Each structure stands twice: as structure tokens, then as C-alpha cells.
Amino acid sequence: MDLDAPLDFENEDNLVSQPVVNKKRKIVIGLDDLLTDHYKQKSKLIEKEKKKAKASKNYNSDEDETGKEALLSNIVNSCQNKMQDIGGEEEISDWGLQIFGNEKNPPSLDFPQLGSCKLLQDFLNNEVNSLVELPAEDGETFLEGLLINGWLSKLVIRRGHVEKSIATWTFNLILYSSKEELRASACDFWCAILSCKSKVDALPTKIDWFPRYSELNRALSIYGFSANFSSTAESVNTNSGSRGPPQNLITWIKFIAACCQVRSKKSIFFTKEAEELVEVVTCLFLDRRLQALSVLLSECIQSVINYFTDQEWNTSCQKIAKSLALRVPRDLNCLRTVDCIAGVNNRSKHLRSTVAYQILLVCFNNEATREEEILNLLININVKEKHCDLFRMYIYLVLTENWFLSCPNLQEKPVINEMWGVYLRNCSCQISSTDMRPYASKVRNKASYLLQGLTNK
Amino acid sequence: MLLRVIVYVLNGQTHVLLFCLRMFDGVKFPSFVLDVVMEKTTHKRSNRTGIEENTLAILESTEAKDTRDTNDDRIAFIEAVRAASFIPETETAPTYPDAVCSERQAARANSIGPPDFSGFTLLIQELGGVVNGTNFQAVDTEYLRNMLLLQYLVNVLEGDFLPQTSNWNLLRESLLNILLGSRRINYKVLMKDCLSILSGLCQARAGINNDHGCSENSGTKPSEDCDPALVFALLDAEKNTCVAFQKLLTIIMELDTSKINADMLGHTTRADGVRTPLMEIIVDELNYDRDIVSPFLQVGSSFRRIGSTYTKLHYILQPSVRTRRSNGPKDEATFDGILKYFSNSINLRNFVKKMSTEIVQLLLAHAFQAHLTISSQYIDGNGDSKENIGNSSLVQICEDIICAFKSLRAIDE
């Protein structure tokens, strides 16, 4: 029997039993405390001695410490440098070129010969003018009003005749007017007279004057367009505040498209000029400030591509591609170039493919002249090698992909298809998923994606 | 980023692009847009829904940080989808009403219920906030996005509408009719908002010219130090938004006309409900706010489908004409009818009392332009029927107009 255990009645009375237990425990704890206090004091002593030792060291060994600091900072510096190196490699500039430089002064928009145009003279001499009472010197303002409200195109189409003075006046408004409404209306006017069908009861509209390519080209250079931008190519910072080309560029693009769409009736440009137009419009895609015009630009480029006759197209396509390949820098800009030729029909696919192929040829400094040779060069690149430039590899990969988009030889020569497969396998299997080199994962993913498409065929 | 995506949206009647927009901008699109997209894709080709869902799933799963690489990948992927499945499709889209009808019914049967259009109201309100100047700070990419979104939606609605058909059963099922009949939207308020945005945009655009290049001062113009890309984008987008609103109003009026015709033939049912024709709302607004007449008509002159401009004008003239002679001959429905009515100087005087001389002149000028366009369309063999043109020769009409202008001057003096 436990003698310390509370008696039966004690259990019932908490007030009596509790203090007893507490007392006993306190005594036990008290002994433990003594012991821990002892150890605590001991450890404190040891710490104090350590601190003293440290303090004496600090006072006595300055040289030793600076040596360590220097070592540490060296390590940190080299680390930082390495980080910067790695970071710098990844910092491959985005696409974007300064296509437009300084604007030149536009020609004067004064148009004295407009007052003598027959349309206006007829009106002034008509009895209706007694109602309007238009003074002869206000002729231009009157015509501007007719133009903006859409009457001018209706009138000239009814008359079946566009006089030279009206044609040149409106053309100049398109290119150089600073008033949005005027240049937009002038552009609508030209679209209307160019596309107007010959009516049953009306004569087909006779247009006395058509613009020449040289004039359109001159306007572009007045806007600040520099044809040989590749020599002064530099990445454009969109925040640099440099002002873009004038907004007349919008109507310029629309006008080009309208001119190209009426080839069946009137060929306004020579084949060589149309080739140049394709190049120029493609280059406009490379200016980041014109991104908002992408829709207009794509429509325009399609119109120009469709301007060629079937006989002209094959040679023109080669010429355009060769010239573009020499123009564009071989960085992300060349991918953008290929990208902006939307492959929506056979011709544009053909052009896209040809441009990609020609850029590839230029990338290899024309070492290869045949399709198999190019693929051989690509296959022989060792992606495992430490210094292999995977960014270049990425560009080659995308270019080759686009080249095969519309390549008739692909069906005729199965060897090319096989080589393409080998190249893709090289890229997808020889680069490991843990490869930390810049562009490693992009090349790998792209190649495996394309490989999947190839094997599914 | 948004600018880069614009191309995709405007280039195509492609739906994936909306998802694309949503992702890049980091903004969730209102669900109604997705509904429209789903609706459109389901009744175009039913198995395409699969693609859409997969696309959505893939795009949603790439929640990685917004680096250039991921963006490149997304764009490349979307481009691939577009090239693979959408571009050839648009060229050979079904044009036969019957095919569409059966597809539409099939789609309706297994679709997820009627689209919820309440977001449309929100979109219009947001646009209105910027255009009518209650929200000056908002001239940014979000404004641009809203404009592009509206253009896209109007394209979808227009493509779905099939204006040539006279089959009310088809039109009843059109997205436009469902949108306007939706209980989630307040139709009248929505239309009034559309009108005020349209006239606001036109006034802002006219301001560009009156200020002679000081366009940066006006409400919806970006400031000098704005991104030049945005300046270009806004200039073009506002113009196209005007066109989109005109298109929207035009197809609504065409729907109204079809409904009236179907009503007369007894093809409508009680379920079709009653909706005030848009033209009546416009006339109310014009009577209430004279200031918008001029911009509104100016807009009208650039209508592509002039046919309804003409309808519009004769509607504007009609109520005043009809209140005078409520059961008069239907002569006023044609332009020469209107001119004959005005040739009576008492009629003209009464009309000028209601509206100012300036507005009457404007109305006549625009109606004349519309008449010319319609008659040339008629000669080409397409467009409206002869009954809209009237019987007078062009010379006769010109003389009548000169006569009307002469009497207007006489009234003024």
C-alpha cells in the first residue's frame, strides 16, 4: 500500500490535498533547478572566455582580416562577372530596326492649276452657281469639301473622266497632307476611281494621269525611310522618343494596295518596281513603331504579291528573296521577316519559303549552293559541343522549317526529308533537358515538336 | 504585347486569338465573348470545339511568367493552329442557308445554353466612358483592346447574320437577334450608348482636322510622349471602330426590316417578342439632341452598305411626314417622293419649323448621295430593288433638289 497516497477522505477534499502535492513537487524541482543553474553558469563562463579571446584577436590581427576580406570580395566579384556573362548571353536583343530616320520637308501643297480644272469651271459657269455663289478663288476649298463628303468621286465617275489636275492634287494630298480627313478622303477617292466598274449606261472612267513608282518612292524617302538600313542596323528602343514616320504612311500603304489590285485594268508599276515594293513593305514590318499597322501591311503585301502575272512570279519571287536575304540582319529580324509574309495562299507560301531558304544560304556565307549541302552543313553542327551557338541553331531551325513549308523538292527527293529528320533528331535528342545553355530548351522543344509532325505524316 | 496580338485578331475570323488576347493582356475576357466564340465555332464545324477546348487547356496551363520566350512560344503555337485549321476554312465557309440552318440547329441542341451577353453592355459602357470623356486617363492599351474586341464581335455578328436571307426562322436564331432579345441587356440604353459613342468618335475625329494638327489636345488622343506605336494604332483603330458601329447599326436595321416583313407574312410568333425598331430610337435621339444630327449623317455618308443609309434617311424624314398625313400614299418612301413632298413650300416650311434649315439641307444632301449609290448598284445588277429608287430620272431629281434648296433659301429670308 502506498503510504504517500491520499487517504479516501482526502480525495474528496481538494482544498486539503492540493497543497501537499505542490509542496512535494516544489522540493524536487528545486533540486533540479540547482543543477541546471550550475550548468548554465558554467557555459556562461566558457562563452565569456570565448568572447574575450575573440576580442583580443580582433584587436591584434588586422592584417589577417583584410586578407580574408579581399579574398571574399574577389570571390564575389568573379561570381558576379560569371553571372553577368551568363545573363549577357541570354540578353539577345529582340527584333526591331530603325527603318525611318529624319523626315525631310514635304513638297508644297499649293496647287494653282486646280482652279482651272474643267470640273470647277463647268460648275462656276453653270446657272446653279447663282444659288451657291461660289467665288472663283475659293475653288480649292470647294473641291476639298466635295472630296471630304464623297461627292468628288461620284461626280467624276458620272462624268467618266478624271482630269490630270484633280488626279495629281488628290495624289499629293494622300502623300503629304497633314490633315487626316483630307488624306483619308483622297485615298478613298482614288480607291473609288480605280475600282469603279464600267457601267452599262456610263462610259468607263478615263483617268488622265497615273502616279509613277518614283513618286511613291520619293514620298517614302521624305518620310525618312532609309533603303539600306542593314548597314546602320541598330536595335530600337521604343521609349527613346524618336518620332515615327508621318501618319501619311497609312494612306501610302492603302494607296499602294489599291494600285496593285487593278492590274487587270491598268498596270501602274513595272515588274521590277513591284519586286521592290514587296521588299519595302516587308521592311516596314521590321519597325516596332509600325506594329499597329500590321493588318494594313499584310493586306498590302498580299496585294503586291498578287500583282505579278504567273509568268513573272517565279523569277520575281527568287529576286525578291535574294535581295531581302542580303538586306535583313541575321538575328531575330530575319525570323520576323519570314514571319510577316503570312502563308495564306500558294504565292505567299512560296515567297515565305524562298526567303527563308535564301537567308539560310546567306547565313552559311554561300558555302552551300544546293539543298542537300545546306542540310549537310546543318547536320554536321555538333550541338553537344560547349561552344555551339544555340541561338544560331534556333534561327537555322526556324528558317529550315519555313523553307520546307512550300518546297516542291521535298516530295521529289525523299533524301531531303530524311536529312531533315536527322537534323531534327540531332537537335532534340542530343540536347538534354537539363542543358542550361541559352536557347538550349528552345531548340530542343522546337525540334521535338517538328519531329513529331514529321513522323505523324 | 497587345499590339503584336492585334494582327491576329483583325486578320482573321479566328477565335483562338481571343484566348491569346486574354492571356497576353492578363485580363479575363467577359464570358460572353467566349460564349460567342463557342457559339460560332460549334455551328461552323462541330468537331472544332475539341480544338478550342484543347487550345484553351494548353494556353491556360502555361501560367509561367510573362517572358519573351513563353510569348514567342504561344504566338508560334497559335500561328500554327491558325495556319493548320482556320485559314483554309474561312475561304470555304458554308454559304448555303440550309446548311447553316441545320448546323445551327444541331449546334443549338448540344450547346451549353444561350450565350450570356451582359458583358456586351459592359464593353459598350467602357468604350463610352473613354470616348465621351468621362474617363480621360484611359487612353491606353485597354481602350485599344476594347475597340478591337468590339470590331471583332461586330464581325462575328455580321458574319452570322446572313442579310440576304428572307427566312425568319434563320434570322430568329442569329446571334444578333439573340443578343438584342436577351433579357440581360437593356436594349434601348445599349442602342443609345452606341449612338453617343459613334457621334463622340466622329466629333473627335473631326476635331483632328479643325485643330490643324493639335490633335493631342482632344479627349481621345494620346499625348506627345506617348508610344508612337500606340498613336498609329489609335488613329486606325478609332476609324475602324466607327465603321464597326455603323456596321452594327446597319445590320440591326436590316434585322428590323426583316422582322417587319416576316410579321406581315405572319411568320413571327409571340415568342419573338416586341422590340422598338432601331430607326425609331435614332429618330427619338435626333429629336432630343440636335447636335448629333450632323455627325450622325456624316457617319452615314461613309457607309459601305449605303442601302440602309437611305432607309435611315427616309425614316428620319418619315415620322414628321407621317404625322402630317398619317395615311398618306407610300410615295415618301422613295427619294423622288420626298422631293415632291418638299416641292410644296407649305410642307417644306412646316418641316423647317421642326428642324433647322441646316439640318434639312444636310438630310437632302445625304439622301441624294445615298440615292446615287443605290441607283448605281441597281444598274450593276446587285443591291436594292427598283422600288427604292423611284421612277424619276437623274436630271429630274437634280432639278427637284435645286428647287428645294431655292425654297429653303426663300424660307430663310
Short mmCIF file of all heavy atoms in Angstrom, two decimals, chain A residues 307-361:
data_model
loop_
_atom_site.label_atom_id
_atom_site.label_comp_id
_atom_site.label_asym_id
_atom_site.label_seq_id
_atom_site.Cartn_x
_atom_site.Cartn_y
_atom_site.Cartn_z
N TYR A 307 0.00 41.04 -107.61
CA TYR A 307 0.12 41.94 -108.76
C TYR A 307 0.82 41.24 -109.92
O TYR A 307 0.51 41.47 -111.08
CB TYR A 307 0.89 43.19 -108.33
CG TYR A 307 1.10 44.22 -109.40
CD1 TYR A 307 0.08 45.09 -109.76
CD2 TYR A 307 2.32 44.33 -110.06
CE1 TYR A 307 0.27 46.04 -110.75
CE2 TYR A 307 2.52 45.29 -111.05
CZ TYR A 307 1.49 46.14 -111.38
OH TYR A 307 1.69 47.09 -112.36
N PHE A 308 1.76 40.35 -109.61
CA PHE A 308 2.55 39.71 -110.65
C PHE A 308 1.70 38.76 -111.48
O PHE A 308 0.76 38.15 -110.98
CB PHE A 308 3.71 38.93 -110.02
CG PHE A 308 4.66 39.79 -109.25
CD1 PHE A 308 4.49 39.98 -107.89
CD2 PHE A 308 5.73 40.40 -109.89
CE1 PHE A 308 5.36 40.78 -107.18
CE2 PHE A 308 6.61 41.20 -109.18
CZ PHE A 308 6.42 41.39 -107.83
N THR A 309 2.08 38.64 -112.75
CA THR A 309 1.44 37.61 -113.56
C THR A 309 2.11 36.27 -113.24
O THR A 309 3.19 36.24 -112.65
CB THR A 309 1.62 37.90 -115.06
OG1 THR A 309 3.02 37.89 -115.34
CG2 THR A 309 1.02 39.23 -115.45
N ASP A 310 1.45 35.19 -113.64
CA ASP A 310 2.01 33.87 -113.34
C ASP A 310 3.38 33.69 -113.98
O ASP A 310 4.26 33.04 -113.39
CB ASP A 310 1.05 32.78 -113.83
CG ASP A 310 -0.16 32.67 -112.91
OD1 ASP A 310 -0.06 33.14 -111.76
OD2 ASP A 310 -1.19 32.13 -113.34
N GLN A 311 3.55 34.25 -115.17
CA GLN A 311 4.85 34.11 -115.84
C GLN A 311 5.94 34.83 -115.07
O GLN A 311 7.06 34.35 -114.95
CB GLN A 311 4.80 34.68 -117.27
CG GLN A 311 3.92 33.90 -118.24
CD GLN A 311 2.47 34.37 -118.18
OE1 GLN A 311 2.08 35.14 -117.29
NE2 GLN A 311 1.67 33.89 -119.12
N GLU A 312 5.58 35.99 -114.54
CA GLU A 312 6.58 36.80 -113.85
C GLU A 312 6.95 36.21 -112.50
O GLU A 312 8.08 36.34 -112.04
CB GLU A 312 6.04 38.21 -113.61
CG GLU A 312 5.90 39.07 -114.83
CD GLU A 312 5.01 40.28 -114.58
OE1 GLU A 312 4.39 40.37 -113.50
OE2 GLU A 312 4.92 41.12 -115.47
N TRP A 313 5.98 35.56 -111.88
CA TRP A 313 6.11 35.30 -110.45
C TRP A 313 7.36 34.51 -110.07
O TRP A 313 8.09 34.90 -109.16
CB TRP A 313 4.84 34.62 -109.91
CG TRP A 313 4.99 34.27 -108.47
CD1 TRP A 313 5.01 33.02 -107.95
CD2 TRP A 313 5.21 35.17 -107.37
NE1 TRP A 313 5.20 33.08 -106.60
CE2 TRP A 313 5.33 34.38 -106.22
CE3 TRP A 313 5.33 36.56 -107.27
CZ2 TRP A 313 5.56 34.93 -104.96
CZ3 TRP A 313 5.56 37.11 -106.01
CH2 TRP A 313 5.67 36.30 -104.89
N ASN A 314 7.63 33.40 -110.76
CA ASN A 314 8.72 32.55 -110.30
C ASN A 314 10.07 33.28 -110.26
O ASN A 314 10.78 33.22 -109.26
CB ASN A 314 8.82 31.30 -111.17
CG ASN A 314 7.81 30.27 -110.70
OD1 ASN A 314 7.40 30.29 -109.55
ND2 ASN A 314 7.41 29.40 -111.61
N THR A 315 10.38 33.99 -111.31
CA THR A 315 11.65 34.71 -111.30
C THR A 315 11.62 35.88 -110.31
O THR A 315 12.59 36.11 -109.59
CB THR A 315 12.01 35.27 -112.69
OG1 THR A 315 10.82 35.74 -113.29
CG2 THR A 315 12.66 34.20 -113.58
N SER A 316 10.47 36.57 -110.24
CA SER A 316 10.38 37.70 -109.33
C SER A 316 10.52 37.24 -107.89
O SER A 316 11.18 37.90 -107.08
CB SER A 316 9.04 38.41 -109.49
OG SER A 316 9.02 39.10 -110.71
N CYS A 317 9.91 36.12 -107.58
CA CYS A 317 9.96 35.60 -106.21
C CYS A 317 11.42 35.34 -105.82
O CYS A 317 11.85 35.70 -104.72
CB CYS A 317 9.13 34.31 -106.15
SG CYS A 317 9.13 33.53 -104.56
N GLN A 318 12.19 34.72 -106.73
CA GLN A 318 13.61 34.47 -106.46
C GLN A 318 14.35 35.78 -106.23
O GLN A 318 15.14 35.91 -105.29
CB GLN A 318 14.25 33.73 -107.64
CG GLN A 318 13.77 32.30 -107.82
CD GLN A 318 14.23 31.39 -106.69
OE1 GLN A 318 15.23 31.66 -106.05
NE2 GLN A 318 13.47 30.33 -106.45
N LYS A 319 14.08 36.75 -107.09
CA LYS A 319 14.80 38.03 -106.99
C LYS A 319 14.49 38.71 -105.66
O LYS A 319 15.40 39.21 -104.99
CB LYS A 319 14.37 38.95 -108.14
CG LYS A 319 15.10 38.69 -109.44
CD LYS A 319 14.74 39.81 -110.41
CE LYS A 319 15.01 39.39 -111.85
NZ LYS A 319 14.31 40.27 -112.79
N ILE A 320 13.22 38.75 -105.31
CA ILE A 320 12.81 39.40 -104.05
C ILE A 320 13.51 38.72 -102.89
O ILE A 320 14.09 39.37 -102.01
CB ILE A 320 11.28 39.31 -103.86
CG1 ILE A 320 10.55 40.09 -104.94
CG2 ILE A 320 10.87 39.82 -102.49
CD1 ILE A 320 9.06 39.77 -105.04
N ALA A 321 13.48 37.38 -102.89
CA ALA A 321 14.04 36.64 -101.76
C ALA A 321 15.54 36.87 -101.64
O ALA A 321 16.05 37.10 -100.55
CB ALA A 321 13.75 35.15 -101.94
N LYS A 322 16.23 36.86 -102.76
CA LYS A 322 17.69 37.06 -102.71
C LYS A 322 18.02 38.44 -102.17
O LYS A 322 18.89 38.61 -101.32
CB LYS A 322 18.29 36.89 -104.11
CG LYS A 322 18.55 35.42 -104.42
CD LYS A 322 19.22 35.25 -105.76
CE LYS A 322 19.35 33.76 -106.04
NZ LYS A 322 19.42 33.45 -107.45
N SER A 323 17.30 39.42 -102.66
CA SER A 323 17.58 40.79 -102.26
C SER A 323 17.25 41.00 -100.77
O SER A 323 18.01 41.63 -100.04
CB SER A 323 16.78 41.73 -103.14
OG SER A 323 16.83 43.02 -102.64
N LEU A 324 16.12 40.44 -100.34
CA LEU A 324 15.74 40.57 -98.93
C LEU A 324 16.76 39.90 -98.02
O LEU A 324 17.12 40.42 -96.97
CB LEU A 324 14.36 39.94 -98.70
CG LEU A 324 13.15 40.86 -98.70
CD1 LEU A 324 11.89 40.04 -98.49
CD2 LEU A 324 13.27 41.92 -97.61
N ALA A 325 17.23 38.72 -98.45
CA ALA A 325 18.18 37.96 -97.64
C ALA A 325 19.45 38.77 -97.40
O ALA A 325 20.05 38.69 -96.33
CB ALA A 325 18.50 36.64 -98.32
N LEU A 326 19.86 39.54 -98.39
CA LEU A 326 21.06 40.35 -98.21
C LEU A 326 20.77 41.57 -97.34
O LEU A 326 21.66 42.10 -96.70
CB LEU A 326 21.58 40.81 -99.58
CG LEU A 326 22.16 39.69 -100.46
CD1 LEU A 326 22.49 40.22 -101.83
CD2 LEU A 326 23.39 39.08 -99.80
N ARG A 327 19.53 42.00 -97.33
CA ARG A 327 19.19 43.23 -96.60
C ARG A 327 19.06 43.01 -95.09
O ARG A 327 19.54 43.81 -94.31
CB ARG A 327 17.85 43.78 -97.10
CG ARG A 327 17.99 44.81 -98.18
CD ARG A 327 16.63 45.40 -98.44
NE ARG A 327 16.71 46.54 -99.34
CZ ARG A 327 15.71 47.38 -99.55
NH1 ARG A 327 14.58 47.20 -98.92
NH2 ARG A 327 15.84 48.39 -100.37
N VAL A 328 18.35 41.96 -94.70
CA VAL A 328 18.00 41.85 -93.28
C VAL A 328 19.16 41.31 -92.47
O VAL A 328 19.89 40.45 -92.93
CB VAL A 328 16.76 40.96 -93.06
CG1 VAL A 328 15.53 41.62 -93.61
CG2 VAL A 328 16.96 39.59 -93.66
N PRO A 329 19.35 41.85 -91.27
CA PRO A 329 20.40 41.33 -90.39
C PRO A 329 20.08 39.90 -89.97
O PRO A 329 18.91 39.52 -89.88
CB PRO A 329 20.39 42.29 -89.21
CG PRO A 329 19.18 43.11 -89.33
CD PRO A 329 18.63 42.96 -90.70
N ARG A 330 21.10 39.12 -89.70
CA ARG A 330 20.86 37.71 -89.40
C ARG A 330 20.70 37.48 -87.90
O ARG A 330 21.48 36.79 -87.26
CB ARG A 330 21.99 36.86 -89.97
CG ARG A 330 21.91 36.78 -91.48
CD ARG A 330 23.05 36.09 -92.11
NE ARG A 330 24.27 36.88 -92.11
CZ ARG A 330 24.47 37.93 -92.91
NH1 ARG A 330 23.53 38.32 -93.72
NH2 ARG A 330 25.61 38.57 -92.88
N ASP A 331 19.74 38.14 -87.34
CA ASP A 331 19.37 37.90 -85.94
C ASP A 331 17.86 37.64 -85.92
O ASP A 331 17.32 37.19 -86.92
CB ASP A 331 19.77 39.10 -85.07
CG ASP A 331 19.34 40.42 -85.69
OD1 ASP A 331 18.38 40.40 -86.47
OD2 ASP A 331 19.96 41.45 -85.39
N LEU A 332 17.20 38.00 -84.84
CA LEU A 332 15.76 37.73 -84.79
C LEU A 332 14.99 38.48 -85.89
O LEU A 332 13.88 38.11 -86.25
CB LEU A 332 15.19 38.10 -83.42
CG LEU A 332 15.53 37.10 -82.32
CD1 LEU A 332 14.99 37.57 -80.98
CD2 LEU A 332 14.97 35.72 -82.64
N ASN A 333 15.62 39.52 -86.43
CA ASN A 333 14.96 40.25 -87.50
C ASN A 333 14.70 39.39 -88.73
O ASN A 333 13.72 39.60 -89.44
CB ASN A 333 15.79 41.47 -87.91
CG ASN A 333 15.66 42.59 -86.92
OD1 ASN A 333 14.57 43.07 -86.66
ND2 ASN A 333 16.76 42.97 -86.31
N CYS A 334 15.60 38.43 -88.97
CA CYS A 334 15.36 37.63 -90.17
C CYS A 334 14.20 36.67 -89.94
O CYS A 334 13.47 36.35 -90.86
CB CYS A 334 16.64 36.92 -90.62
SG CYS A 334 17.18 35.55 -89.63
N LEU A 335 14.00 36.25 -88.70
CA LEU A 335 12.83 35.41 -88.42
C LEU A 335 11.55 36.24 -88.54
O LEU A 335 10.54 35.77 -89.04
CB LEU A 335 12.92 34.81 -87.01
CG LEU A 335 14.07 33.86 -86.74
CD1 LEU A 335 13.85 33.14 -85.42
CD2 LEU A 335 14.22 32.86 -87.86
N ARG A 336 11.63 37.47 -88.08
CA ARG A 336 10.47 38.36 -88.20
C ARG A 336 10.12 38.56 -89.68
O ARG A 336 8.95 38.60 -90.06
CB ARG A 336 10.80 39.70 -87.52
CG ARG A 336 9.85 40.83 -87.81
CD ARG A 336 8.57 40.72 -87.03
NE ARG A 336 7.67 41.84 -87.32
CZ ARG A 336 6.39 41.87 -87.02
NH1 ARG A 336 5.85 40.86 -86.39
NH2 ARG A 336 5.66 42.91 -87.30
N THR A 337 11.15 38.71 -90.50
CA THR A 337 10.92 38.91 -91.93
C THR A 337 10.13 37.75 -92.52
O THR A 337 9.14 37.94 -93.24
CB THR A 337 12.27 39.01 -92.67
OG1 THR A 337 13.08 39.97 -92.01
CG2 THR A 337 12.08 39.41 -94.11
N VAL A 338 10.57 36.54 -92.18
CA VAL A 338 9.89 35.36 -92.70
C VAL A 338 8.46 35.31 -92.15
O VAL A 338 7.50 35.01 -92.86
CB VAL A 338 10.68 34.09 -92.31
CG1 VAL A 338 9.90 32.86 -92.70
CG2 VAL A 338 12.04 34.10 -92.98
N ASP A 339 8.37 35.65 -90.88
CA ASP A 339 7.10 35.59 -90.17
C ASP A 339 6.03 36.50 -90.77
O ASP A 339 4.85 36.17 -90.78
CB ASP A 339 7.35 36.05 -88.73
CG ASP A 339 6.66 35.16 -87.76
OD1 ASP A 339 6.39 34.00 -88.12
OD2 ASP A 339 6.38 35.62 -86.64
N CYS A 340 6.46 37.66 -91.25
CA CYS A 340 5.47 38.66 -91.66
C CYS A 340 4.92 38.37 -93.05
O CYS A 340 3.95 38.98 -93.47
CB CYS A 340 6.04 40.06 -91.58
SG CYS A 340 7.29 40.40 -92.79
N ILE A 341 5.53 37.42 -93.76
CA ILE A 341 4.95 37.02 -95.04
C ILE A 341 3.98 35.88 -94.72
O ILE A 341 4.35 34.72 -94.69
CB ILE A 341 6.03 36.55 -96.03
CG1 ILE A 341 7.13 37.60 -96.16
CG2 ILE A 341 5.42 36.24 -97.38
CD1 ILE A 341 8.35 37.13 -96.89
N ALA A 342 2.74 36.26 -94.43
CA ALA A 342 1.77 35.27 -93.97
C ALA A 342 1.48 34.27 -95.09
O ALA A 342 1.15 34.67 -96.20
CB ALA A 342 0.49 35.95 -93.53
N GLY A 343 1.63 33.01 -94.78
CA GLY A 343 1.43 32.00 -95.83
C GLY A 343 -0.03 31.67 -96.04
O GLY A 343 -0.49 30.57 -95.75
N VAL A 344 -0.79 32.63 -96.56
CA VAL A 344 -2.23 32.42 -96.70
C VAL A 344 -2.63 31.84 -98.04
O VAL A 344 -3.73 31.34 -98.18
CB VAL A 344 -3.01 33.73 -96.45
CG1 VAL A 344 -2.97 34.11 -95.00
CG2 VAL A 344 -2.48 34.84 -97.32
N ASN A 345 -1.76 31.95 -99.03
CA ASN A 345 -2.08 31.30 -100.31
C ASN A 345 -0.78 30.76 -100.90
O ASN A 345 0.29 30.90 -100.31
CB ASN A 345 -2.76 32.28 -101.26
CG ASN A 345 -1.96 33.55 -101.45
OD1 ASN A 345 -0.73 33.56 -101.31
ND2 ASN A 345 -2.64 34.63 -101.74
N ASN A 346 -0.89 30.15 -102.05
CA ASN A 346 0.28 29.48 -102.61
C ASN A 346 1.44 30.43 -102.87
O ASN A 346 2.58 30.12 -102.58
CB ASN A 346 -0.10 28.75 -103.89
CG ASN A 346 -0.87 27.49 -103.57
OD1 ASN A 346 -0.80 27.00 -102.44
ND2 ASN A 346 -1.60 26.98 -104.54
N ARG A 347 1.10 31.59 -103.42
CA ARG A 347 2.18 32.53 -103.73
C ARG A 347 2.91 33.01 -102.49
O ARG A 347 4.14 33.05 -102.45
CB ARG A 347 1.61 33.74 -104.48
CG ARG A 347 1.61 33.54 -105.94
CD ARG A 347 1.44 34.86 -106.65
NE ARG A 347 1.18 34.59 -108.05
CZ ARG A 347 0.97 35.54 -108.95
NH1 ARG A 347 0.98 36.80 -108.59
NH2 ARG A 347 0.74 35.22 -110.21
N SER A 348 2.14 33.37 -101.47
CA SER A 348 2.83 33.89 -100.29
C SER A 348 3.58 32.77 -99.57
O SER A 348 4.65 33.01 -99.01
CB SER A 348 1.85 34.60 -99.36
OG SER A 348 0.75 33.79 -99.11
N LYS A 349 3.06 31.56 -99.63
CA LYS A 349 3.81 30.44 -99.06
C LYS A 349 5.12 30.25 -99.81
O LYS A 349 6.17 30.03 -99.21
CB LYS A 349 2.98 29.15 -99.16
CG LYS A 349 2.09 28.92 -97.98
CD LYS A 349 1.43 27.55 -98.11
CE LYS A 349 0.29 27.42 -97.13
NZ LYS A 349 -0.64 26.38 -97.52
N HIS A 350 5.01 30.33 -101.12
CA HIS A 350 6.20 30.18 -101.96
C HIS A 350 7.24 31.23 -101.61
O HIS A 350 8.42 30.93 -101.42
CB HIS A 350 5.76 30.30 -103.43
CG HIS A 350 6.85 30.11 -104.42
ND1 HIS A 350 6.77 30.54 -105.71
CD2 HIS A 350 8.08 29.55 -104.30
CE1 HIS A 350 7.89 30.24 -106.35
NE2 HIS A 350 8.71 29.64 -105.51
N LEU A 351 6.78 32.47 -101.47
CA LEU A 351 7.70 33.55 -101.15
C LEU A 351 8.33 33.33 -99.78
O LEU A 351 9.53 33.48 -99.59
CB LEU A 351 6.97 34.90 -101.19
CG LEU A 351 7.85 36.12 -100.90
CD1 LEU A 351 8.93 36.27 -101.96
CD2 LEU A 351 7.03 37.39 -100.83
N ARG A 352 7.50 32.95 -98.83
CA ARG A 352 7.99 32.75 -97.47
C ARG A 352 9.08 31.69 -97.46
O ARG A 352 10.14 31.85 -96.85
CB ARG A 352 6.81 32.32 -96.60
CG ARG A 352 7.11 32.23 -95.13
CD ARG A 352 5.81 31.98 -94.38
NE ARG A 352 6.07 31.58 -93.02
CZ ARG A 352 5.42 32.06 -91.97
NH1 ARG A 352 4.50 32.96 -92.13
NH2 ARG A 352 5.71 31.65 -90.76
N SER A 353 8.80 30.60 -98.15
CA SER A 353 9.76 29.51 -98.22
C SER A 353 11.05 29.95 -98.91
O SER A 353 12.15 29.67 -98.43
CB SER A 353 9.10 28.34 -98.96
OG SER A 353 10.06 27.52 -99.54
N THR A 354 10.91 30.67 -100.02
CA THR A 354 12.10 31.09 -100.76
C THR A 354 12.95 32.06 -99.95
O THR A 354 14.17 31.98 -99.95
CB THR A 354 11.68 31.75 -102.10
OG1 THR A 354 10.62 30.98 -102.67
CG2 THR A 354 12.82 31.79 -103.07
N VAL A 355 12.27 32.97 -99.26
CA VAL A 355 13.01 33.94 -98.45
C VAL A 355 13.78 33.20 -97.35
O VAL A 355 14.97 33.45 -97.12
CB VAL A 355 12.06 34.99 -97.84
CG1 VAL A 355 12.77 35.83 -96.79
CG2 VAL A 355 11.49 35.89 -98.91
N ALA A 356 13.12 32.24 -96.70
CA ALA A 356 13.78 31.50 -95.63
C ALA A 356 15.00 30.78 -96.18
O ALA A 356 16.09 30.79 -95.57
CB ALA A 356 12.81 30.51 -95.01
N TYR A 357 14.86 30.17 -97.34
CA TYR A 357 15.96 29.42 -97.94
C TYR A 357 17.11 30.35 -98.28
O TYR A 357 18.29 30.05 -97.99
CB TYR A 357 15.46 28.70 -99.19
CG TYR A 357 16.51 27.93 -99.93
CD1 TYR A 357 17.17 26.85 -99.32
CD2 TYR A 357 16.86 28.25 -101.24
CE1 TYR A 357 18.13 26.13 -100.00
CE2 TYR A 357 17.83 27.54 -101.92
CZ TYR A 357 18.46 26.48 -101.30
OH TYR A 357 19.42 25.78 -101.98
N GLN A 358 16.81 31.48 -98.87
CA GLN A 358 17.87 32.42 -99.25
C GLN A 358 18.59 32.97 -98.02
O GLN A 358 19.80 33.17 -98.06
CB GLN A 358 17.28 33.57 -100.08
CG GLN A 358 16.83 33.18 -101.48
CD GLN A 358 17.98 32.67 -102.35
OE1 GLN A 358 19.14 33.01 -102.12
NE2 GLN A 358 17.65 31.82 -103.32
N ILE A 359 17.86 33.21 -96.95
CA ILE A 359 18.53 33.71 -95.73
C ILE A 359 19.46 32.62 -95.20
O ILE A 359 20.57 32.90 -94.75
CB ILE A 359 17.50 34.15 -94.67
CG1 ILE A 359 16.67 35.33 -95.17
CG2 ILE A 359 18.21 34.56 -93.38
CD1 ILE A 359 15.57 35.76 -94.24
N LEU A 360 19.00 31.38 -95.24
CA LEU A 360 19.86 30.27 -94.81
C LEU A 360 21.15 30.26 -95.61
O LEU A 360 22.25 30.11 -95.05
CB LEU A 360 19.12 28.94 -95.03
CG LEU A 360 18.46 28.28 -93.83
CD1 LEU A 360 17.86 26.96 -94.25
CD2 LEU A 360 19.45 28.06 -92.70
N LEU A 361 21.04 30.40 -96.92
CA LEU A 361 22.23 30.41 -97.77
C LEU A 361 23.18 31.51 -97.33
O LEU A 361 24.39 31.30 -97.21
CB LEU A 361 21.85 30.62 -99.24
CG LEU A 361 21.18 29.46 -99.97
CD1 LEU A 361 20.85 29.85 -101.39
CD2 LEU A 361 22.08 28.23 -99.96
#
